Amino acid sequence: QVQLVESGGGSVQPGGSLRLSCAASPFNPDYYAIGWFRQAPGKEREGVTCITLNDGRTYYADSVKGRFTISIDNVKHAVYLQMNDLNLEDTAIYRCATATAHLYGSPWPPPSYEYDYWSQGTQVTVSS
């Protein structure tokens, strides 16, 4: 069982920044990937970004490229999502998730069904 605890959500004006943190316990560097997902009211869940733990390969959705950055702190056993230049469309509940194993033949980026542990979620609200 892996527990994911996230923090850092809140409200910000357009153009502002927030950093989300996701602490995994236990944290195993052999896990395949950690990703961030979001879901806005009335919309489907969207995979925002992910990172593989063994080689740091990253994926970013087109909607966040150049604005969001995912990173890992292997000492603190945490994954961070730095979100800059936030806009109204970034308003959503954000959740981190861990894919503990890579399914042979699965596509890149890992689809949501490959993630087996999920955090509770944190609200990010961008408003003027």
Side-chain angles (χ1 to χ4, degrees):
Q1 187 79 9
V2 178
Q3 282 193 321
L4 299 174
V5 179
E6 60 182 299
S7 59
S11 297
V12 66
Q13 292 185 336
S17 298
L18 284 173
R19 189 177 82 153
L20 305 182
S21 301
C22 176
S25 178
F27 183 90
N28 188 332
D30 291 331
Y31 294 156
Y32 174 52
I34 294 180
W36 288 94
F37 295 78
R38 68 184 181 185
Q39 188 164 18
K43 293 187 177 181
E44 292 189 357
R45 182 171 58 196
E46 175 188 17
V48 175
T49 179
C50 70
I51 186 167
T52 55
L53 272 64
N54 66 337
D55 61 2
R57 184 184 184 187
T58 57
Y59 159 82
Y60 293 95
D62 288 342
S63 56
V64 306
K65 277 181 183 176
R67 301 187 298 121
F68 288 14
T69 303
I70 189 170
S71 60
I72 293 177
D73 186 328
N74 286 305
V75 175
K76 295 183 178 179
H77 297 170
V79 174
Y80 303 101
L81 179 61
Q82 178 66 43
M83 305 185 293
N84 298 328
D85 192 22
L86 286 160
N87 57 54
L88 300 179
E89 289 69 40
D90 295 317
T91 295
I93 294 175
Y94 286 71
R95 302 175 72 186
C96 61
T98 299
T100 56
H102 176 48
L103 301 179
Y104 179 78
S106 64
W108 175 263
S112 60
Y113 61 75
E114 198 162 333
Y115 291 86
D116 36 12
Y117 296 100
W118 294 77
S119 67
Q120 290 282 72
T122 188
Q123 178 69 47
V124 171
T125 301
V126 184
S127 67
S128 54

